[in-house]
Structure formats: C-alpha cells, structure tokens
Amino acid sequence: MTTPLVKDRIYRSPQALIGGVLLLVIVLWLGIDALIRGHGHTPWLALAALILIVPLVVAFTLRPAVFAGEDRLRVRNPFRVITLPWGEIASLRSGFSNEVVVKSGAKYQLWAIPVSLRGRKKAARQQAKSQADARRGRTGPGAGGAGRGLGGFGGFGGFGGQAAAEQADGPMRAEADKAMDDLREMLESRGPAESAQGEVTVRWAYEVAAPAVAGAVLLVILLVVV
C-alpha cells in the first residue's frame, strides 16, 4: 500500500508579492519605454538597468518562500536555498526578524516571514477590544441568571458572542507570529522522527545572482564609456 504524499506548507509574504508585482510593472514600463524611445546610449543604459534591477526585485519580493514538509524545512531566500532537516534545527527565533537556528549554531533568516511590528500592534489592539467586548457581554444587561441560561446571548451572536469565541481560540497573534507558531509545532512533533534527520545543505541561487552581476558590470562599463 502506497503512503499518500503530504504537501508542504508554504509560507510567503502577501505584501512582498504585491509590492514586487507593482515594482516590476513600473520598472518594465520605464525600461521598455526608454528602450523604444531613447536615443544614443539611453537604450543600452536602460537595458543594463533592466538586467540589474529585475532580478533583484524578483529575488527580494517574489522569490522568498518557506516550505515546511514532514521531514525538512526548505528556506528559499533571495540568493540561497537552505534545506534543513527538522532534526538539525535547534530553535526558531522571533525578534526584529524571524530566523532558524541549527544545532551547529548557524542562523538563517526567514525572508518570507518578515516581522511586522505594525501587525503585532494591530493584533494587540484587537485582543484588547475582544477582551473589552467580552467583559461588557458578561456584565451587561441580561448577564444574570436568565442571561447565563442563554449563554449571555452569546449563543445568538450578540453581546460578546464573537469576542467569547475569539477568546476561546486563544490570544490574537500577528500573521507572521502565527506562521512561526506553526513551524515550532512542526519542529516539536517532527524533530525526533528518524526520517527527519540529515545534513543541512545550502545552495546558492546563481540563476538570480548571475544576471544581476552581469547587469551591474554592463551598467558600469556603459557609464564609464559615456
């Protein structure tokens, strides 16, 4: 009997994806316009700039992703792909950035799961509002015997019913913190597994770095010539 394959969980930043697409549209629009309408060295400068800028935009916005599988964590950063068996991961840390720490002491940043202080503040405000709504639901009219018999009207979706449900689900968290919580749960459950052991491998993304370097060299040469 064949064991069904389990798909990896994929974590990416929606804000980075949207920003990357918008940046690419602007860069390509300006670059192609300069290629078509430019005179003299302008088309060549525009071409070099496109070769340099487009790979960098893709690398820092569209490329980053974290793939969490049953046996390993694969981190796709702008210029590297790091494959980490769960058994080799010591911890997952959250501070001003999210990073994975392996048992050898090496650290790798999770570009696809950026820390959002704004998101944390928003979650804290929502949590405070939820708690306030829950308190009002418990202490408001009908919170006595009859009200409690009907669940404080929570069963009918009113007077703190939603807040009570949110309280039952636990404290509100920013999306990046939720993703890190998921990864920590997988680390705890899969870390000891025999199939989750192995070596950490790092592969450089030459397909991204090479065009950017070529564009930078070409741009420098053109600027010197001009």
Side-chain angles (χ1 to χ4, degrees):
M1 183 176 180
T2 305
T3 304
L5 295 176
V6 179
K7 292 184 178 180
D8 293 352
R9 298 183 189 179
I10 303 175
Y11 300 89
R12 308 185 78 170
S13 171
Q15 293 84 357
L17 294 175
I18 294 171
V21 170
L22 292 177
L23 278 175
L24 282 177
V25 170
I26 295 172
V27 169
L28 290 174
W29 174 43
L30 295 176
I32 293 174
D33 183 71
L35 283 172
I36 295 175
R37 301 186 181 185
H39 301 284
H41 293 284
T42 301
W44 289 103
L45 289 171
L47 178 61
L50 284 175
I51 297 174
L52 169 63
I53 296 174
V54 170
L56 293 179
V57 172
V58 171
F60 285 96
T61 60
L62 306 183
R63 177 180 168 80
V66 173
F67 303 87
E70 286 293 301
D71 297 329
R72 54 191 42 84
L73 183 70
R74 187 161 61 94
V75 180
R76 193 170 70 190
N77 282 343
F79 298 109
R80 293 190 298 179
V81 177
I82 306 103
T83 303
L84 308 109
W86 289 113
E88 288 297 313
I89 298 176
S91 65
L92 290 152
R93 295 179 182 175
S94 296
F96 291 105
S97 65
N98 291 316
E99 58 186 19
V100 55
V101 182
V102 298
K103 292 180 178 178
S104 64
K107 302 176 183 177
Y108 303 100
Q109 186 174 347
L110 304 179
W111 281 81
I113 312 177
V115 170
S116 173
L117 298 180
R118 180 181 178 183
R120 287 178 177 175
K121 291 178 180 178
K122 181 179 178 181
R125 288 196 300 268
Q126 291 177 340
Q127 179 69 16
K129 182 178 182 297
S130 175
Q131 292 173 346
D133 290 343
R135 286 194 295 269
R136 283 197 296 270
R138 289 194 298 268
T139 60
R148 283 192 297 269
L150 295 175
F153 298 104
F156 297 100
F159 294 107
Q162 181 179 0
E166 290 170 344
Q167 289 262 347
D169 292 337
M172 295 183 182
R173 304 270 284 163
E175 290 302 319
D177 293 333
K178 290 179 182 177
M180 292 299 289
D181 290 342
D182 290 343
L183 294 178
R184 291 188 184 99
E185 288 179 5
M186 293 191 70
L187 173 61
E188 184 177 355
S189 62
R190 297 298 304 163
E194 183 178 351
S195 59
Q197 311 304 313
E199 295 183 358
V200 176
T201 60
V202 179
R203 181 182 70 82
W204 288 93
Y206 295 106
E207 68 275 12
V208 176
V213 172
V217 172
L218 179 59
L219 186 60
V220 170
I221 292 174
L222 289 173
L223 290 174
V224 171
V225 172
V226 174

